[in-house]
Amino acid sequence: MEIRELIEKLADKYPLGLQESWDNSGLQVGNPNNELKNILISLDLEDEGVDKAIENGCNLIITHHPYLFSPAKSIDLSKHFYKRLEKLIKNDISLYSFHTNLDIAYDGLNDNLARILNIKNTRVLEEGEDPGLGRYGFIEEVDAKTYINFIKKTLKAEGLVVYGDIDKKISKVAVCGGSGGELIDAAINRSCQMIVTADVRYHDGMDKANEGIIIVDPGHFASENHVTYKLEEEVKNLVDTKVFTYSKEDSFRKIF
């Protein structure tokens, strides 16, 4: 199997055409016509992940977040950012990213987030889009504090930022992996009692919580890293080669 054949199979499920206009999902670097060897999957392209790919004979890395966003006018290999790409090229490793198309597509990142948080009967959260960003649905009625602790444990988050009145019961919850602050209004409009999303700005959190919704921010990493393992299982069913994962864990925000 060539690298492009695996990518085409994944793109059938998570079409690249679904990605946002500003996004850069797809090939980041490499030769898609190379024969596929082993594969490494990670949320981001990290030095440790590249080293693990090399150690295990991988010639394909799949990430959620694209490494390349802005057009480059020069490639200075003395800069750390480009040194990672140099290492990929020298070791004949291709890099592909499935970003907002994976967020938006059905059975993608947001459906997986809803599933692991036990949210049932889900629908698209983003108003006027089908498919679209975010999901909302129902859980068994529970104390908000109890469910918040469940979120922290399930997402393996170092810590949470929570806005709103947590001394009540909830049964209708929205989610959006990654930066989903712009969808809080949609969650309010759909009468959700809680939204789980990341990178919520302080004043947005304070203002929207005053409208009655609980906002739970587990951090960008924790809200999305679960998709690494979902992709691992899917890719294992598509290839005969070995599939590895690399996860830096929720180490970007230190809790003191």
Side-chain angles (χ1 to χ4, degrees):
M1 175 186 288
E2 294 180 353
I3 290 172
R4 62 171 180 78
E5 294 179 82
L6 171 59
I7 297 304
E8 287 168 1
K9 290 179 180 180
L10 290 174
D12 283 342
K13 185 172 184 180
Y14 311 117
L16 293 172
L18 288 180
Q19 68 181 302
E20 301 280 12
S21 59
W22 49 264
D23 199 6
N24 191 38
S25 296
L27 177 67
Q28 304 287 290
V29 67
N31 185 348
N33 295 321
N34 283 347
E35 192 68 18
L36 179 65
K37 298 178 183 177
N38 295 335
I39 303 153
L40 182 129
I41 301 171
S42 184
L43 190 68
D44 300 282
L45 184 69
E46 302 283 354
D47 288 324
E48 300 92 336
V50 175
D51 291 340
K52 184 173 180 178
I54 294 170
E55 291 167 6
N56 289 283
C58 301
N59 71 339
L60 172 63
I61 297 176
I62 298 173
T63 65
H64 178 49
H65 295 135
Y67 196 66
L68 300 173
F69 267 114
S70 303
K73 293 185 177 180
S74 67
I75 299 176
D76 183 349
L77 297 180
S78 70
K79 303 295 185 183
H80 186 78
F81 181 86
Y82 290 114
K83 279 186 175 296
R84 288 184 188 171
L85 297 182
E86 180 184 23
K87 188 181 288 189
L88 292 179
I89 293 168
K90 286 185 174 180
N91 287 278
D92 204 15
I93 298 173
S94 295
L95 173 65
Y96 270 87
S97 297
F98 285 79
H99 190 211
T100 53
N101 56 313
L102 181 59
D103 293 331
I104 291 170
Y106 287 116
D107 197 30
L109 185 147
N110 279 297
D111 281 312
N112 193 63
L113 180 56
R115 180 184 62 78
I116 64 177
L117 294 182
N118 293 336
I119 302 171
K120 311 294 184 183
N121 301 319
T122 55
R123 296 183 179 181
V124 173
L125 178 60
E126 186 178 10
E127 295 174 309
E129 298 294 333
D130 185 18
L133 289 168
R135 299 291 185 267
Y136 72 98
F138 298 90
I139 61 171
E140 292 289 335
E141 188 174 72
V142 65
D143 292 331
K145 288 180 181 178
T146 300
Y147 192 65
I148 290 168
N149 285 325
F150 168 71
I151 292 169
K152 182 178 179 180
K153 180 179 179 180
T154 301
L155 298 185
K156 300 179 181 179
E158 287 281 339
L160 306 172
V161 177
V162 181
Y163 303 89
D165 177 14
I166 61 174
D167 292 319
K168 60 183 180 182
K169 292 183 180 296
I170 60 168
S171 59
K172 193 173 186 181
V173 179
V175 298
C176 182
S179 302
E182 72 278 4
L183 292 178
I184 297 175
D185 283 336
I188 293 171
N189 292 341
R190 299 185 186 282
S191 301
C192 296
Q193 297 147 319
M194 176 184 287
I195 183 170
V196 182
T197 193
D199 305 336
V200 177
R201 294 182 298 183
Y202 172 78
H203 289 291
D204 288 343
M206 294 294 289
D207 293 343
K208 302 302 182 184
N210 286 332
E211 298 188 39
I213 194 168
I214 301 169
I215 302 165
V216 179
D217 183 345
H220 200 113
F221 179 89
S223 74
E224 294 191 322
N225 193 52
H226 54 90
V227 82
T228 299
Y229 307 104
K230 172 180 170 56
L231 287 176
E232 177 190 19
E233 293 305 312
E234 291 181 356
V235 171
K236 282 181 175 178
N237 290 326
L238 296 173
V239 300
D240 295 325
T241 55
K242 293 182 180 179
V243 182
F244 300 89
T245 62
Y246 172 74
S247 176
K248 204 167 189 173
E249 304 303 335
D250 191 8
S251 59
F252 299 98
R253 299 179 303 158
K254 300 298 184 185
I255 309 299
F256 291 97

